[in-house]
Amino acid sequence: MNWHSWMFWGFVSTLLMTTMEAGAQAVRLTRVDFPFMIGTVFTTDRDRAKIYGFLAHVLNGWAFSLLYVLAFESWHAASWWRGALIGAVHALFVLLVVMSIMPGIHPRMASEQSGPTATRQLEPPGWFGLNYGIRTPISVFLSHIVFGAVLGAFYHLR
Amino acid sequence: MAFSQRDEQPRNSSAAHEWPRIGDYAIIGDCRSAALVANTGAIEWLCWPRFDSPSIFAAILDRDRGGTWKVSPRATDILRTQREYIAESNVLRTTFECRTGIVALTDLMPVSSERGKRSVLTPDHEVLRQVECLAGEVDMQIHFEPRLHYGAGSPRLKRVGAVGISFVCGDGVYYLRSSVPLELHSDTATAAWTMRRGDTAQFCFTYGEESPVVIPPLGDWSRKRIEESTLWWCQWASKAEYDGPYRDVIVRSGLALKLLSYAPSGAIVAAATTSLPEQLGGSLNWDYRYCWLRDASLTIRALLGLGYRAEASSFIEWMLTATRLTQPRLNILYTLFGSESTREQTLPHLSGYRDSRPVRIGNAAQHQLQLDVYGEVLDAIAQYAFHGGTFARSTQRLLVEIGKHVASNWDQPDQGIWEPREHPQAHTHSRVLCWVALDRLISLCKKGHVKDVPLDDFCRERERIARQVHERAWNPALNSYTSTLDGQDLDASLLLMAYYGFESADSDRMRATYAAIRQTLRANDHLIYRYRSGPDEGAFGICSFWEVDYLALGGGTVEHAQRLFEDILQYKNDVSLYAEEIDPRNGNALGNFPQAFTHIGLISAALSITERLKGQKQLAHREEGAGEKAA
């Protein structure tokens, strides 16, 4: 495995994905603010939550890029479309699995079953994240596909 | 506090078409946006996320299409209604005495300190309503009917499990939570239930643009939010440094002013509404959800006079920042963040308040030339400096540039303070305020607050303005100053010549002008019109307070000023709020509501009376009065 290539391109593709997600929010493709959502796991301070969430999101993306790279290595091939394919599966996993279990794992998120409580007041994502905007799945797919495509295109196999 | 009978309305129309009087509304807010609550328990005006955003409830402008959120006993059960703000807060409590019992409705937009916001997650925007049954048994109803973008569309409400009812509009998502089961229709939510003594029902309505939005729980959490918000307002009010005979009304006006301020930028909007008519059924309907620089001097006098230095500082900061794109030229109004307001447009799909068409959003007056704003801004700057404020060198240079602009342009005709949409004229008030602009810069220079002022040029132009006003604005035949140079008409802004120090209040000319104004602009025994040459409208609220100010500054006895002030106080509504104008025939409020300008005038008048009673130096915004106040 090419560790240097993974570290660099994993980081670059994560930054690109984060930027795309922020861009999708700015152009009103979705309301979801992933750094805020992740950061509120750690704090109730909105400003700090965004900073903590951003750092956690970058570290998380970097770690996930390792799985992409392992897939490339096992295929003995890396290309933009292979990366994009993994990105699409990744996005599907996020929308179908992560979003649905989020109220259970996020300490401040309400669930649709029991509603908000004194400690859990954040809006749950709903199926496919649709509570955060009807085009949320589009933005999640796009950002993850670009993430994988960049990684696949530029990662150098050992 | 006495129970007031409900306004008698024609019973031939359906309940949905009954219009409350403008004074039947009260305001709640969170220093970012505001809602008007009618004494029927209906929220009939709410714009989110900002004061100048499109409305989500606007039944005040159209009973059918505007949108409303009513929580109340059945209309036929209500005997009497009583309203008050809880202590010195902006938390509203409406008590309905019904045939079978009594319920109290508490309305607020929760607020908390910055520290509090860091320790718990709170919604970006929230209206919280709580009903308690105090006696007997009362049949209640809720009718939730939001309408998008000034009633242009209906949202599709959907139930999100136990989280609440939600709908999406534009950039954000709205959630309604209720402790009472709601029946959901496509675009409305309703419920009818019975409350018995000791029962409580709660409702919260939130808005956010960034998901996941915060959706607060009801129950104890909401009860605590009401207590915290009440405490927050009371603590703010307790900082008022006023020690005089009018503390209650002055603090209430201060609370209204604070409520109309936009915390993120420090701006203060002229009013929370658009298009409430100055003349019922007429077309004098304007959007006042912007910030007029003309209010600057009196605003700073009110804030500093009450000891609210932080708010004064924020307002000055907003003023200097908001005008950055046009300096040294100043527009007459700016938005909350200093951009130009949206293009003025009419909303033909709305009927207007009691069929007063058109409903307008945006304000075309922003493009007018009103030279008085320079004096009002520089007078505010001078007051701030004489109370200990300091300015960076770049700001000092800017102030000098503004002065140079005034020195070069004061002789132009303009639209004047009342901004009629007519041809420009040489307005006396504008000339006087240009004199004020140069006078304050000269004072600021002499006191060392502003450097590099071309004193000789400014002194020369100041004298030229004074000579022109003395020679051409004085009409010997009328024995009065006039609204325009070489003119025949009078307007109430002439009373401000004493406030701004252009003329002594007890000078022969000012006394004669006051007598002429009293005779010409008299609306009734207590109120005056702003002018008589325009279309029929109500007496102008602040002008009557200017009269008090004038008397307190030496134009009359302090007893006279007090008597008039107390008479004008009779025209406030049951929760001590004023609109822009007052119908002199029946005392009803007219125009946008509540109006910051009127409340600022009230505070200034009360301060002037109190200063006179205490023998304190008045008009601290002028150089000679500065030392004592600053010390």
Side-chain angles (χ1 to χ4, degrees):
Chain A
M1 188 171 139
N2 187 341
W3 291 98
H4 285 104
S5 186
W6 162 67
M7 285 183 72
F8 181 73
W9 288 109
F11 185 68
V12 168
S13 52
T14 301
L15 285 186
L16 193 62
M17 179 173 67
T18 309
T19 306
M20 279 192 70
E21 284 167 355
Q25 200 191 356
V27 300
R28 312 300 182 195
L29 200 58
T30 178
R31 282 189 301 276
V32 69
D33 182 339
F34 282 110
F36 175 69
M37 188 203 285
I38 297 168
T40 46
V41 169
F42 309 108
T43 178
T44 54
D45 183 325
R46 279 174 182 269
D47 295 331
R48 286 188 183 170
K50 289 188 178 185
I51 296 167
Y52 297 164
F54 171 77
L55 293 174
H57 192 238
V58 168
L59 288 175
N60 190 41
W62 214 354
F64 258 91
S65 67
L66 191 57
L67 293 179
Y68 284 58
V69 166
L70 288 174
F72 298 146
E73 291 289 347
S74 69
W75 287 334
H76 304 293
S79 64
W80 70 267
W81 64 267
R82 286 172 193 269
L85 193 68
I86 304 173
V89 174
H90 186 181
L92 200 64
F93 176 77
V94 167
L95 289 167
L96 274 177
V97 181
V98 178
M99 290 291 191
S100 65
I101 63 170
M102 188 62 83
I105 56 177
H106 194 302
R108 293 192 171 85
M109 188 166 282
S111 77
E112 291 193 14
Q113 286 70 40
S114 52
T117 66
T119 51
R120 292 176 171 270
Q121 300 186 16
L122 290 176
E123 173 192 28
W127 186 76
F128 241 54
L130 289 174
N131 286 353
Y132 300 160
I134 199 156
R135 289 172 297 193
T136 297
I138 298 173
S139 81
V140 172
F141 268 109
L142 276 178
S143 58
H144 283 80
I145 286 170
V146 169
F147 170 80
V150 169
L151 198 57
F154 295 102
Y155 174 72
H156 290 286
L157 294 169
R158 178 66 70 180
Chain B
M1 187 176 47
F3 276 105
S4 59
Q5 292 294 330
R6 298 182 73 220
D7 188 19
E8 287 302 318
Q9 302 264 2
R11 305 304 295 185
N12 54 354
S13 60
S14 71
H17 288 76
E18 291 178 357
W19 292 93
R21 295 170 301 188
I22 291 172
D24 286 341
Y25 291 93
I27 188 169
I28 54 172
D30 59 1
C31 303
R32 282 164 179 76
S33 54
L36 291 193
V37 188
N39 61 1
T40 55
I43 292 180
E44 299 195 352
W45 180 249
L46 172 64
C47 300
W48 267 343
R50 302 178 357 178
F51 291 104
D52 56 352
S53 301
S55 68
I56 196 79
F57 300 122
I60 195 171
L61 294 176
D62 192 306
R63 308 310 283 167
D64 293 324
R65 301 192 61 162
T68 182
W69 179 17
K70 188 172 186 180
V71 178
S72 74
R74 279 200 310 239
T76 49
D77 291 346
I78 301 171
L79 299 174
R80 284 181 290 186
T81 304
Q82 173 192 12
R83 298 190 301 179
E84 62 178 339
Y85 284 110
I86 298 175
E88 289 182 338
S89 80
N90 279 317
V91 177
L92 180 69
R93 192 175 167 90
T94 308
T95 305
F96 298 98
E97 188 183 333
C98 305
R99 295 181 202 285
T100 54
I102 299 174
V103 289
L105 170 66
T106 303
D107 287 308
L108 69 151
M109 292 171 77
V111 287
S112 55
S113 64
E114 291 304 314
R115 196 173 155 198
K117 284 179 195 165
R118 285 195 292 272
S119 61
V120 289
L121 285 167
T122 52
D124 294 335
H125 306 279
E126 179 184 9
V127 171
L128 182 56
R129 317 191 77 180
Q130 176 175 279
V131 199
E132 298 160 281
C133 185
L134 306 178
E137 187 176 293
V138 179
D139 289 335
M140 296 291 298
Q141 58 185 6
I142 175 171
H143 183 83
F144 179 79
E145 183 186 292
R147 290 293 177 264
L148 309 176
H149 209 281
Y150 304 106
S154 302
R156 198 163 60 86
L157 306 186
K158 66 168 185 177
R159 204 180 292 278
V160 184
V163 177
I165 288 171
S166 100
F167 61 95
V168 174
C169 172
D171 300 334
V173 60
Y174 299 80
Y175 275 92
L176 171 69
R177 285 183 52 72
S178 164
S179 64
V180 174
L182 296 175
E183 195 176 323
L184 187 60
H185 313 281
S186 66
D187 59 2
T188 57
T190 58
W193 76 105
T194 302
M195 294 186 78
R196 293 175 186 83
R197 187 167 182 269
D199 286 354
T200 299
Q202 294 172 330
F203 312 90
C204 89
F205 182 45
T206 61
Y207 174 74
E209 293 181 349
E210 228 173 43
S211 285
V213 297
V214 178
I215 308 159
L218 299 173
D220 289 342
W221 179 270
S222 294
R223 222 167 273 124
K224 195 170 151 214
R225 296 271 284 156
I226 296 172
E227 286 168 12
E228 284 175 353
S229 297
T230 307
L231 184 66
W232 188 90
W233 283 112
C234 289
Q235 283 176 342
W236 186 86
S238 69
K239 291 177 190 158
E241 292 173 1
Y242 176 81
D243 178 24
Y246 303 114
R247 185 180 162 81
D248 288 352
V249 284
I250 216 173
V251 167
R252 177 50 55 198
S253 287
L255 281 162
L257 201 56
K258 176 70 175 170
L259 201 148
L260 292 171
S261 67
Y262 184 69
S265 69
I268 297 176
V269 293
T273 56
T274 178
S275 299
L276 293 186
E278 296 167 19
Q279 178 192 36
L280 282 182
S283 61
L284 299 173
N285 318 317
W286 316 107
D287 192 350
Y288 276 16
R289 297 171 297 159
Y290 305 107
C291 317
W292 267 258
L293 292 187
R294 111 166 39 107
D295 302 359
S297 168
L298 285 162
T299 299
I300 288 296
R301 169 164 165 75
L303 292 174
L304 291 177
L306 295 180
Y308 290 113
R309 288 167 207 278
E311 282 76 5
S313 182
S314 295
F315 183 73
I316 293 282
E317 202 58 46
W318 168 80
M319 210 162 56
L320 292 170
T321 308
T323 57
R324 190 141 299 181
L325 293 176
T326 60
Q327 293 162 358
R329 187 179 58 78
L330 302 178
N331 286 349
I332 66 161
L333 68 95
Y334 292 87
T335 64
L336 301 169
F337 281 110
S339 57
E340 288 198 342
S341 80
T342 51
R343 188 175 55 83
E344 182 174 293
Q345 49 188 308
T346 59
L347 301 178
H349 62 278
L350 294 179
S351 70
Y353 177 79
R354 298 199 186 202
D355 295 321
S356 304
R357 294 169 189 268
V359 171
R360 293 183 177 91
I361 54 170
N363 199 309
Q366 64 183 313
H367 302 300
Q368 289 188 352
L369 175 65
Q370 294 180 19
L371 290 166
D372 58 298
V373 296
Y374 295 93
E376 281 131 2
V377 166
L378 285 166
D379 188 74
I381 296 278
Q383 290 182 63
Y384 181 66
F386 296 153
H387 279 77
T390 55
F391 302 107
R393 284 305 297 265
S394 58
T395 303
Q396 293 178 35
R397 280 195 293 275
L398 162 70
L399 298 176
V400 173
E401 288 305 311
I402 292 175
K404 287 178 181 173
H405 184 77
V406 173
S408 311
N409 292 282
W410 64 265
D411 208 10
Q412 289 184 34
D414 71 344
Q415 259 86 14
I417 184 172
W418 306 123
E419 56 196 52
R421 297 186 173 187
E422 297 165 359
H423 63 279
Q425 296 188 73
H427 289 96
T428 303
H429 177 261
S430 300
R431 292 288 193 275
V432 169
L433 266 294
C434 285
W435 178 91
V436 169
L438 298 177
D439 181 73
R440 300 305 184 260
L441 276 170
I442 292 165
S443 298
L444 286 165
C445 176
K446 286 181 180 172
K447 291 276 180 184
H449 294 286
V450 177
K451 294 186 172 28
D452 302 328
V453 173
L455 275 178
D456 290 346
D457 292 350
F458 284 6
C459 286
R460 187 185 63 243
E461 292 305 315
R462 181 180 66 170
E463 294 318 308
R464 284 185 64 204
I465 299 171
R467 200 176 319 123
Q468 188 184 67
V469 170
H470 284 133
E471 289 172 2
R472 294 180 55 197
W474 177 256
N475 185 322
L478 295 174
N479 198 29
S480 172
Y481 282 111
T482 52
S483 296
T484 53
L485 302 186
D486 310 314
Q488 299 289 326
D489 297 321
L490 275 62
D491 79 280
S493 69
L494 296 169
L495 291 168
L496 291 173
M497 292 170 95
Y499 170 81
Y500 286 113
F502 183 83
E503 276 272 6
S504 170
D506 60 357
S507 71
D508 291 342
R509 281 192 168 191
M510 275 313 294
R511 284 182 185 277
T513 300
Y514 172 62
I517 284 174
R518 249 286 129 214
Q519 187 180 17
T520 312
L521 303 181
R522 180 181 181 278
N524 63 20
D525 287 345
H526 319 124
L527 305 172
I528 57 174
Y529 296 107
R530 55 176 161 171
Y531 48 62
R532 293 309 296 266
S533 52
D536 284 346
E537 58 178 44
F540 211 78
I542 196 171
C543 295
S544 297
F545 288 120
W546 287 348
E547 187 182 346
V548 175
D549 228 328
Y550 165 76
L551 294 169
L553 290 174
T557 64
V558 70
E559 291 79 16
H560 187 181
Q562 280 189 282
R563 201 167 51 245
L564 181 61
F565 184 71
E566 286 160 17
D567 286 339
I568 301 167
L569 290 183
Q570 294 171 16
Y571 294 93
K572 65 187 192 304
N573 78 352
D574 56 335
V575 285
S576 299
L577 296 174
Y578 285 92
E580 181 181 33
E581 297 184 5
I582 301 161
D583 189 330
R585 296 166 301 179
N586 51 28
N588 285 346
L590 289 171
N592 283 310
F593 179 85
Q595 175 91 342
F597 209 25
T598 313
H599 286 279
I600 289 164
L602 183 154
I603 295 170
S604 179
L607 288 173
S608 292
I609 290 173
T610 309
E611 286 163 355
R612 174 113 177 243
L613 283 170
K614 293 183 174 179
Q616 291 173 338
K617 192 87 176 175
Q618 295 184 303
L619 295 174
H621 50 125
R622 290 163 58 190
E623 186 188 0
E624 62 267 31
E628 187 177 310
K629 276 279 178 184

